[in-house]
Amino acid sequence: MPVKHSVLAAAVALTALSGTLMASQAQASESVSPRAVSPTVKPEPEDVYHTTDGLSSCRTGRFCTETWDPVKKSWKIHVFWKCGTYALSNWEGVGAYINHQDGANAKVLNKDKKLVWPEIPPNNKKGWGNWSDAWFIRPC
């Protein structure tokens, strides 16, 4: 009888330990999962705002972009006016753009500063592209 009792006690202890280990592993895997990060631009463009409707227009003389912001769960719109090279961070997935500048082609560049897509003419039309390979924007 004492052996049977100690085997039963050991089995109960192992079951409890197993449940604790499984709970610890589940908590560890949850804390390791990536957290949502907002897309950003450096230096900051002329204007940045969020909308649930996406990019619908772009003011004259501007290059406008739309990328999904998983933190806000809405579209993040960036409005570029000044010429320069802008570094993109955490731009992922498909988004839109409108080039409403006066004669300047916009460029979307990869990490080696090579074109990701053909240059975007100033036609004030909405276009779509995958931002995942984009590292830089040159609006002019």
Side-chain angles (χ1 to χ4, degrees):
M1 264 308 191
V3 172
K4 187 174 182 183
H5 180 69
S6 62
V7 169
L8 180 60
V12 169
L14 283 173
T15 302
L17 180 59
S18 173
T20 302
L21 286 174
M22 288 174 62
S24 296
Q25 287 173 340
Q27 287 173 348
S29 68
E30 286 175 14
S31 63
V32 175
S33 65
R35 293 175 13 129
V37 180
S38 290
T40 59
V41 177
K42 296 288 184 209
E44 189 83 11
E46 175 187 22
D47 193 14
V48 178
Y49 61 93
H50 285 83
T51 178
T52 55
D53 297 332
L55 184 62
S56 59
S57 66
C58 187
R59 291 192 326 252
T60 302
R62 308 309 192 257
F63 177 68
C64 301
T65 62
E66 156 193 294
T67 187
W68 183 251
D69 185 341
V71 173
K72 301 261 185 173
K73 294 186 178 18
S74 63
W75 294 104
K76 190 170 188 178
I77 310 299
H78 295 87
V79 180
F80 299 89
W81 177 66
K82 291 182 181 176
C83 189
T85 301
Y86 296 81
L88 311 179
S89 296
N90 305 308
W91 286 46
E92 297 295 331
V94 174
Y97 55 82
I98 298 174
N99 188 354
H100 198 183
Q101 298 179 97
D102 302 321
N105 285 349
K107 298 161 194 71
V108 177
L109 309 169
N110 66 15
K111 66 180 177 179
D112 299 320
K113 296 194 176 171
K114 305 265 192 250
L115 285 172
V116 174
W117 318 316
E119 291 185 12
I120 302 165
N123 58 12
N124 196 27
K125 292 183 182 175
K126 187 172 185 176
W128 294 90
N130 187 342
W131 293 115
S132 298
D133 293 330
W135 288 54
F136 302 95
I137 286 179
R138 282 196 54 82
C140 53

